Amino acid sequence: MVQSPVGSWCVEGDDNGITRIYLPHERQQASTGPVAAPVKNAAKQLEEYFAKKRTHFDVDLHFDEGTSFQHEVWTALGEIPYGEVRTYADVATSINHPNAYRAVGNANAANPWPIVVPCHRVVASSGMGGYAGGLDVKRALLELEGVSL
């Protein structure tokens, strides 16, 4: 479990990489057995992020779910720099699917690695947009990065 100003985040994975990061409202219990190295690494990096000591993540992600389109979106999200935002349309255009902005939103909602794959940095052209963790969490993450909408 990683504590943050918006609640506890839980990192799940194995020796092959991170399989999921649970949002604060998704109740998960901490593991009682040995913790795999990729999980320890991701948890440490999340702690550094919340302490404003990390702006980029270097973790092993285990892509064991999702469609090829979702993988394209998640890869594009990883390219959005810390402290910047893109619109759903910007992301759709960046993956050569300029009319798929709603599908980009759906892929964001299905992102298994929030923060590490920064779906919180994607906003609607008219403002905040949605976030699976809730708008208060999204706003807090953006403010942590120095973004105000």
Side-chain angles (χ1 to χ4, degrees), residues 127-145:
M128 186 68 71
Y131 187 64
L135 292 183
D136 289 341
V137 172
K138 182 174 185 169
R139 187 173 293 107
L141 295 174
L142 291 173
E143 287 176 358
L144 177 80
E145 296 183 16

Side-chain angles (χ1 to χ4, degrees), residues 19 62-74 106-107 110-113:
T19 54
H62 192 206
F63 280 82
D64 64 345
E65 62 181 70
T67 65
S68 60
F69 178 82
Q70 288 172 325
H71 291 190
E72 283 184 74
V73 171
W74 298 336
N106 290 333
N111 173 16
W113 312 285

Side-chain angles (χ1 to χ4, degrees), residues 36-48:
V39 174
K40 286 181 187 177
N41 181 41
K44 178 179 183 264
Q45 290 187 35
L46 282 169
E47 289 170 353
E48 293 168 351

Side-chain angles (χ1 to χ4, degrees), residues 63-141:
F63 280 82
D64 64 345
E65 62 181 70
T67 65
S68 60
F69 178 82
Q70 288 172 325
H71 291 190
E72 283 184 74
V73 171
W74 298 336
T75 299
L77 298 180
E79 297 171 6
I80 303 171
Y82 180 94
E84 294 185 22
V85 295
R86 301 290 185 272
T87 66
Y88 297 100
D90 291 336
V91 175
T93 299
S94 78
I95 61 170
N96 298 315
H97 295 283
N99 296 320
Y101 49 89
R102 285 189 181 104
V104 166
N106 290 333
N108 272 13
N111 173 16
W113 312 285
I115 300 178
V116 171
V117 174
C119 53
H120 64 280
R121 296 181 189 151
V122 182
V123 298
S125 58
S126 61
M128 186 68 71
Y131 187 64
L135 292 183
D136 289 341
V137 172
K138 182 174 185 169
R139 187 173 293 107
L141 295 174

Side-chain angles (χ1 to χ4, degrees), residues 2 11-12 17-21 36-50 54 57-61 113 116:
V2 176
V11 180
E12 182 179 86
I18 303 307
T19 54
R20 184 171 170 122
I21 297 174
V39 174
K40 286 181 187 177
N41 181 41
K44 178 179 183 264
Q45 290 187 35
L46 282 169
E47 289 170 353
E48 293 168 351
Y49 169 83
F50 287 117
R54 175 170 291 276
F57 291 91
D58 182 20
V59 298
D60 295 322
L61 301 177
W113 312 285
V116 171

